Amino acid sequence: MKRLSERANAALLNADPLWYKDAVIYQLHIKSFYDANGDGVGDFAGLHAKLDYLVSLGVDTIWLLPFYPSPRRDDGYDIADYRNVHPDYGTLAEAKRFVTAAHARGLRVITELVINHTSDQHPWFQRARRAKPGSAARNYYVWSDNDQKYTGTRIIFCDTEKSNWSWDAEAGAYFWHRFYSHQPDLNFDNPQVLNEVLSVMR
């Protein structure tokens, strides 16, 4: 294992920046991969247990679909907490153990981090809707007194959404969303939002 770890460190720390051109990437959703505790839902412990199997397939990179706390109205792409793990999938400690074990085998791990929008259950949005118009907290998202701005912007899910704006009674304003109305868009014109997202990435 020591020789494998040395090779893994060399691969992870000194790799060609274009490593992905020849990578064998295995994309998976934790909830449907392997259930270690028998509750019917895949978890980090189950994924950890199958790492040697993935290596035997020739995989060198694992791409995880969103695994964060979420109401899962959009299969986890509606993130309610960027800094934790959905409890159905295990704990943050188990996720870290998985990443450490993957790196020890020379595997890279890609996580799908959704930063265009959050869930409307995210604390940032809950704080924003209660904050005063024009305040720092309100400006984490994009608000308007009417739904007539950016009218030329295509509606992506036209079968379910009639507008890219939705009225929020608590805020007394419309909020902007390019995806579903339960996924308000973050306001990247606000430097605080950019700093928060960069902090999450780190």
Side-chain angles (χ1 to χ4, degrees):
M1 189 66 177
K2 181 182 177 190
R3 198 164 62 189
L4 180 62
S5 296
E6 288 170 354
R7 183 172 62 81
N9 286 335
L12 293 165
L13 298 176
N14 304 313
D16 182 329
L18 299 179
W19 61 271
Y20 54 85
K21 290 179 70 175
D22 298 314
V24 177
I25 301 174
Y26 190 106
Q27 184 188 57
L28 62 90
H29 208 328
I30 292 170
K31 73 175 184 180
S32 58
F33 185 71
Y34 188 74
D35 174 16
N37 62 9
D39 66 357
V41 180
D43 43 46
F44 271 106
L47 179 54
H48 187 164
K50 293 295 183 178
L51 284 175
D52 291 332
Y53 166 71
L54 292 174
V55 170
S56 76
L57 295 178
V59 170
D60 55 35
T61 305
I62 299 171
W63 175 352
L64 302 178
L65 297 183
F67 54 80
Y68 312 91
S70 164
R72 293 191 294 201
R73 294 181 65 188
D74 187 20
D75 203 24
Y77 285 84
D78 47 335
I79 296 173
D81 180 359
Y82 286 113
R83 298 180 181 274
N84 216 326
V85 171
H86 195 290
D88 284 356
Y89 308 151
T91 65
L92 187 58
E94 287 173 322
K96 289 179 177 179
R97 283 196 291 273
F98 152 73
V99 172
T100 298
H103 287 176
R105 290 163 172 79
L107 294 166
R108 293 175 181 271
V109 178
I110 299 172
T111 64
E112 194 155 343
L113 181 68
V114 183
I115 60 170
N116 177 70
H117 54 253
T118 68
S119 164
D120 59 6
Q121 301 305 304
H122 195 292
W124 295 347
F125 187 75
Q126 293 300 314
R127 186 179 64 203
R129 72 198 316 191
R130 297 183 183 106
K132 293 180 181 178
S135 66
R138 175 67 71 100
N139 289 338
Y140 266 54
Y141 296 84
V142 181
W143 300 90
S144 177
D145 293 332
N146 60 65
D147 61 355
Q148 299 306 304
K149 291 184 180 179
Y150 321 129
T151 52
T153 306
R154 181 176 69 91
I155 298 170
I156 295 172
F157 301 119
C158 55
D159 56 334
T160 58
E161 302 296 335
K162 303 308 177 192
S163 171
N164 288 314
W165 293 101
S166 285
W167 175 255
D168 186 78
E170 188 161 2
Y174 290 90
F175 64 87
W176 178 255
H177 54 89
R178 288 293 284 124
F179 287 83
Y180 296 108
S181 55
H182 54 82
Q183 294 168 318
D185 276 24
L186 287 166
N187 177 15
F188 278 94
D189 287 336
N190 179 350
Q192 286 181 280
V193 170
L194 181 59
N195 288 337
E196 287 270 24
V197 169
L198 290 173
S199 176
V200 165
M201 289 178 170
R202 292 185 188 105

